[in-house]
């Protein structure tokens, strides 16, 4: 009986992969005995595989990530018609309305953003454009595609994860009042703006963080070694995403504020310097639990 003990196996060096490729008519060969056959098969099964490459699974996307599989550019769409009037408009019901499109100033801002992407070489080897389905963001993506010579088939509209942050009872108020929202954000990422009954969501920083993490999980799964340009209708999606990617305190995301038409490469060198002294910069290595 063939021993299966470690000593018995180590007494015979593992056969090479070539020696484990037995001919189909093996049993009909006169020089092959049944004992030799069993012994050879046993050693082949016991030997480590030499031809199978290790599998590297990406797993669930976490913030901050150990690495990114793609190169990302973050773009805020230019000024909207509502913003040109100084009014907050975040109700998703109106996100595809013509009234939510780019203002004349916003179109010029977006053209400058598209030219900046061209100067940065963002789409030199092609790129994917991921805009929110919100009117102004999708219009911005079309302008970027036109100036950078990108086919419209590379525009992938995102239907929910890139919606403008819902500001609840601040809907319809002056744009300046967003500073009150950011004051609440600085206290806790879980604090929501006051609710309203018109259907406008009232999202906390944590809510936005969940959405952009889901977006990145899709992008990192769907693409590899590609360039993706994310186009958001507002700043908060991008500032929360950038803070999460870099492991910064999400309560301070507003200090990474994106102006209309602003473009950034998503890497450590692209993060603006905090306005506070270095001693006041807080890290967050397990977002959104930064309180």
């Amino acid at each position: 009986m063939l021993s299966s003990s470690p000593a018995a196996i180590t007494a015979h060096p593992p056969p090479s992969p070539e020696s484990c490729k037995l001919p189909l008519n093996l049993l009909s060969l006169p020089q092959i005995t049944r004992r030799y056959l069993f012994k050879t098969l046993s050693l082949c099964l016991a030997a480590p595989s030499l031809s199978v490459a290790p599998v590297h699974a990406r797993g669930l996307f976490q913030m901050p990530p150990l690495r990114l599989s793609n190169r990302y550019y973050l773009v805020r769409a230019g000024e909207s018609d509502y913003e040109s009037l100084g009014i907050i408009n975040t109700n998703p019901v109106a996100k595809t309305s013509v009234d939510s499109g780019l203002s004349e100033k916003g179109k010029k801002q977006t053209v400058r953003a598209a030219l900046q992407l061209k100067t940065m070489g963002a789409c030199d080897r092609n790129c994917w454009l991921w805009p929110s389905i919100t009117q102004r963001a999708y219009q911005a993506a079309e302008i970027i595609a036109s100036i950078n010579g990108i086919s419209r088939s590379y525009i992938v509209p995102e239907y929910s994860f890139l919606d403008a942050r819902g500001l609840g009872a601040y809907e319809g108020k002056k744009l300046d009042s967003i500073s009150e929202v950011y004051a609440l954000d600085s206290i806790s990422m879980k604090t929501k703006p006051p609710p309203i009954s018109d259907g406008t969501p009232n999202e906390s920083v944590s809510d936005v963080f969940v959405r952009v993490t889901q977006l990145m999980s899709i992008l990192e799964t769907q693409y590899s070694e590609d360039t993706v340009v994310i186009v958001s209708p507002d700043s908060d999606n991008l500032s929360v995403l950038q803070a999460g990617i870099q492991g910064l305190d999400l309560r301070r995301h507003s200090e990474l504020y994106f102006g209309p038409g602003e473009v950034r490469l998503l890497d450590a060198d692209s993060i603006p310097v905090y306005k506070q002294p270095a001693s006041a910069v807080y890290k967050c290595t397990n977002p959104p639990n930064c309180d």
Side-chain angles (χ1 to χ4, degrees):
M1 181 179 296
L2 181 64
S3 172
S4 60
S5 66
I9 293 176
T10 55
H12 303 276
S16 66
E18 289 73 16
S19 65
C20 290
K21 297 178 181 178
L22 302 177
L24 295 177
N25 61 342
L26 179 65
L27 292 177
S28 64
L29 298 177
Q31 72 272 25
I32 300 298
T33 65
R34 184 174 298 179
R35 174 172 296 184
Y36 176 84
L37 173 62
F38 288 159
K39 181 178 179 181
T40 301
L41 290 177
S42 298
L43 290 174
C44 286
L45 291 174
S49 174
L50 301 178
S51 59
V52 178
V55 176
H56 301 286
R58 297 189 193 181
L60 183 65
F61 185 81
Q62 295 180 335
M63 295 272 204
L66 295 177
R67 61 181 293 272
L68 291 172
S69 299
N70 304 291
R71 184 174 60 160
Y72 295 94
Y73 289 86
L74 307 182
V75 181
R76 178 180 172 182
E79 177 192 74
S80 70
D81 284 326
Y82 277 104
E83 288 170 333
S84 69
L85 299 174
I87 298 174
I88 292 175
N89 176 45
T90 61
N91 192 325
V93 173
K95 65 184 179 182
T96 59
S97 169
V98 176
D99 295 334
S100 296
L102 294 169
S103 67
E104 289 304 314
K105 180 180 178 180
K107 292 174 183 177
K108 294 177 182 178
Q109 291 170 332
T110 303
V111 168
R112 286 196 293 269
L115 291 172
Q116 184 178 349
L117 286 169
K118 193 176 183 68
T119 300
M120 297 169 76
C123 299
D124 283 354
R125 292 179 294 175
N126 215 345
C127 63
W128 293 93
L129 301 177
W130 273 67
S132 163
I133 195 62
T134 303
Q135 184 76 353
R136 61 185 177 275
Y138 195 83
Q139 286 178 337
E142 290 181 317
I143 293 172
I144 292 170
S146 176
I147 291 177
N148 285 271
I150 303 300
S151 168
R152 289 174 62 92
S153 62
Y154 282 82
I155 300 178
V156 185
E158 188 8 80
Y159 287 86
S160 59
F161 295 147
L162 280 174
D163 282 357
R165 179 186 178 184
L167 296 180
Y170 285 91
E171 185 75 0
K173 291 188 176 182
K174 293 183 178 180
L175 279 176
D176 294 344
S177 61
I178 199 170
S179 60
E180 299 174 18
V181 177
Y182 291 157
L184 295 174
D185 291 348
S186 67
I187 298 173
S188 172
M189 295 177 304
K190 298 177 182 179
T191 302
K192 297 176 180 284
I196 194 173
S197 60
D198 70 349
T200 303
N202 57 323
E203 294 184 293
S204 66
V205 173
S206 292
D207 294 330
V208 177
F209 176 79
V210 169
R211 287 199 283 109
V212 296
T213 300
Q214 290 172 324
L215 172 69
M216 291 301 296
S217 181
I218 293 172
L219 295 175
E220 285 291 282
T221 301
Q222 187 164 331
Y223 304 114
S224 180
E225 298 183 1
D226 284 318
T227 297
V228 182
V229 179
I230 298 174
V231 186
S232 171
D234 70 347
S235 171
D236 287 9
N237 286 328
L238 303 179
S239 60
V240 171
L241 171 58
Q242 189 166 22
I245 289 289
Q246 300 300 330
L248 301 176
D249 189 341
L250 298 182
R251 291 173 297 180
R252 299 164 64 90
H253 77 92
S254 62
E255 296 179 16
L256 298 174
Y257 181 82
F258 281 70
E262 186 169 350
V263 177
R264 291 181 204 162
L265 173 64
L266 186 58
D267 68 0
D269 295 332
S270 71
I271 298 179
V273 178
Y274 273 109
K275 299 178 180 65
Q276 300 295 323
S279 60
V281 177
Y282 299 96
K283 285 286 187 177
C284 179
T285 58
N286 186 31
N289 300 313
C290 303
D291 291 343

